Amino acid sequence: MTFASLGLIDPLLRTLEALGYSEPTPVQQKAIPAVLAGRDLMAAAQTGTGKTAGFALPLLQRLAQEGAKVSSNSVRALILVPTRELAEQVHANVSAYAEALPVSTYAVYGGVSINPQMMRLRRGVDLLVATPGRLMDLFRQNAVKFNQVQALVLDEADRMLDLGFAEELRGLYASLPKRRQTLLFSATFSDEIRLLAGQMLDEPLSVEVSPRNVAASSVKQWLVTVDKKRKADLFCHLLKTKRWKQVLVFAKTRNGVDQLVERLQGQGYAADGIHGDRPQATRQRALDQFKAGELAILVATDVAARGLDIQDLPQVVNLDLPINAEDYVHRIGRTGRAGNTGEAVSLVCADEVDQLAAIERLTRQVIKRVDEPGFEPDHRVPETTASGEVIKKPKKPKKPKTAGAKGSLGRWVENNDTPQPEIQAVRKVPKFNTGPRKRKP
Ligand code: AMP
């Protein structure tokens, strides 16, 4: 199948050729004709599937061919994304696709001064990429008007709700023209997402594509079991012995990011970290340096790493497994893109067995375990199955209580065959109507 057969116009076809996109991906094959025909869309597609081009190409074409010229402070199409990094990333893609079209594009997001954004909006923008918080700030200050909006895209809608943007989405919904095209992309479809879709979409076409990166054999996945306190040691050991050149590392906490970065820098590595506590400019600089190959190791939390698009990244390491199984797919989607091979390695401790089981259930595979001599864990990680079960060893019969019984209980706890109760692979999603705001990109 070709892009031309999907109905795209010549200027876009030439741009795609220059970008080296020879064939539409499955989500593009389904989305492009439907969006060109004006339909609403509800798509289960994750990062790495080519979804951005799937919605951006037909929207740009419609903007170039239809509708009135954009007025001052107005926008004709809106793409909402959960984080600043994703806003930058999506805008970079969109502006590349719009290269040969008379369509203006721009991105607004929080964490940077609002004034230049207000200035730019005065001239009007055909296609605006925005995070919900900053968009509604601009709207309240009359810097942006929605009366010309003919299309709305909610990208990574599940993540927007996770981050507590329900209120902004409700405000936006109430302010948009009723006649418009709406496209919703989400990795997961919880009750809250369905409720949102029910309110915002009109007889949508449902599109589902299996995440390329889960099915793709181009990403080699394996894990090493290790005790929690030895994870950083193991990472440094693997980094050295495997001679990894460029690694993207995911850690659970901001502290975890900072500690590992400090240690790596102390060992002379070109390493930096990104997380929500660091100013936007610093995060962007670290990202740019990593993309340019000036940094060998970038350590990140999930939120900070959203939207990171690095071509040819060979190595992703999960220092910690994510709480949400879907994030694992997002993480490993950074590698093995567009026909390249990649490797995703997870360092897994006994506390994380439920998260591991949830990931294996989602990806329908048991991740290969590789022992690293010298790092064998004292706390064994129970075996798991592709259906997401944890195989717990039958408990040893308790010895009758005698004076020495305390000692045997101590040994049992030390073996730690059961996962720690505080870690649950359960996704907590705030209700669409009541979700508290947790983070403002
Ligand atoms: P996305 O899922 O939108 O984040 O896209 C993942 C990556 O695939 C991006 O780097 C795109 O530039 C690239 N891409 C999207 N569509 C195609 C295509 N049809 N052929 C080759 N690369 C593509």
Side-chain angles (χ1 to χ4, degrees), residues 11-328:
L12 283 173
L13 296 177
R14 283 197 298 274
T15 302
L16 292 173
E17 203 182 325
L19 288 171
Y21 291 14
S22 51
E23 229 195 315
T25 66
V27 72
Q28 290 163 1
Q29 291 174 20
K30 290 178 186 158
I32 291 173
V35 178
L36 284 177
R39 283 203 67 171
D40 280 7
L41 198 69
M42 176 157 131
Q46 303 181 350
T47 200
T49 54
K51 68 185 164 79
T52 315
F55 61 73
L57 293 169
L59 278 188
L60 288 166
Q61 178 159 330
R62 296 199 68 194
L63 289 169
Q65 291 183 323
E66 305 162 20
K69 194 170 168 293
V70 72
S71 310
S72 178
N73 290 104
S74 292
V75 292
R76 295 170 61 212
L78 264 175
I79 300 175
L80 284 199
V81 296
T83 66
R84 313 157 197 182
E85 281 79 10
L86 195 57
E88 290 242 343
Q89 185 57 55
V90 168
H91 181 249
N93 285 345
V94 165
S95 64
Y97 303 147
E99 175 82 19
L101 297 178
V103 176
S104 59
T105 66
Y106 188 54
V108 293
Y109 43 82
V112 293
S113 168
I114 200 166
N115 291 336
Q117 298 178 351
M118 290 174 128
M119 297 277 284
R120 171 60 190 90
L121 285 167
R122 277 190 206 157
R123 281 183 278 136
V125 174
D126 288 310
L127 191 154
L128 184 70
V129 184
T131 52
R134 177 53 60 95
L135 180 70
M136 294 317 282
D137 275 355
L138 288 159
F139 177 68
R140 280 188 290 271
Q141 298 186 51
N142 293 321
V144 64
K145 291 185 263 180
F146 296 140
N147 50 333
Q148 263 194 301
V149 171
Q150 64 184 63
L152 168 72
V153 181
L154 302 170
D155 191 15
E156 302 203 359
D158 51 348
R159 182 49 62 132
M160 284 198 271
L161 294 189
D162 276 358
L163 291 175
F165 283 128
E167 200 183 305
E168 282 82 0
L169 294 185
R170 207 171 45 240
L172 174 70
Y173 171 68
S175 318
L176 286 175
K178 293 291 157 263
R179 265 176 65 87
R180 54 152 210 279
Q181 185 175 23
T182 309
L183 318 174
L184 182 147
F185 288 78
S186 191
T188 53
F189 278 87
S190 60
D191 289 349
E192 284 75 12
I193 291 289
R194 289 185 195 285
L195 179 65
L196 179 68
Q199 287 173 338
M200 289 203 162
L201 304 182
D202 181 23
E203 296 183 14
L205 175 76
S206 281
V207 170
E208 193 167 343
V209 289
S210 61
R212 212 187 63 115
N213 35 31
V214 169
S217 54
S218 56
V219 183
K220 196 174 143 208
Q221 300 168 57
W222 49 281
L223 64 82
V224 189
T225 59
V226 63
D227 284 334
K228 196 194 289 188
K229 59 179 186 298
R230 298 208 63 205
K231 280 188 173 194
D233 292 344
L234 174 59
F235 175 74
C236 293
H237 168 80
L238 291 173
L239 182 64
K240 212 150 108 196
T241 53
K242 305 280 179 198
R243 295 167 195 242
W244 288 333
K245 296 235 161 20
Q246 228 201 355
V247 196
L248 178 60
V249 187
F250 288 94
K252 189 166 59 184
T253 63
R254 294 163 187 195
N255 235 346
V257 170
D258 289 340
Q259 280 173 8
L260 185 63
V261 168
E262 202 175 311
R263 178 166 173 172
L264 291 167
Q265 286 174 343
Q267 293 181 8
Y269 287 104
D272 207 347
I274 52 172
H275 57 61
D277 275 354
R278 303 197 70 191
Q280 173 61 12
T282 319
R283 283 157 67 170
Q284 193 60 48
R285 192 171 58 236
L287 275 183
D288 291 343
Q289 287 177 336
F290 189 63
K291 285 187 188 187
E294 291 158 21
L295 275 182
I297 304 149
L298 185 68
V299 191
T301 56
D302 277 309
V303 166
R306 277 265 150 165
L308 211 77
D309 183 21
I310 304 155
Q311 302 293 337
D312 303 330
L313 179 69
Q315 195 68 46
V316 165
V317 173
N318 296 309
L319 188 74
D320 304 302
L321 286 182
I323 298 289
N324 296 326
E326 292 83 4
D327 284 334
Y328 176 83

Side-chain angles (χ1 to χ4, degrees), residues 411-441:
R411 193 162 56 79
W412 179 249
V413 171
E414 192 184 291
N415 280 346
N416 197 19
D417 275 356
T418 45
Q420 297 295 301
E422 74 271 16
I423 303 283
Q424 298 282 336
V426 172
R427 179 161 204 160
K428 287 203 179 83
V429 182
K431 290 256 181 291
F432 174 49
N433 287 323
T434 55
R437 174 191 207 103
K438 284 186 218 150
R439 170 179 298 281
K440 186 173 173 180

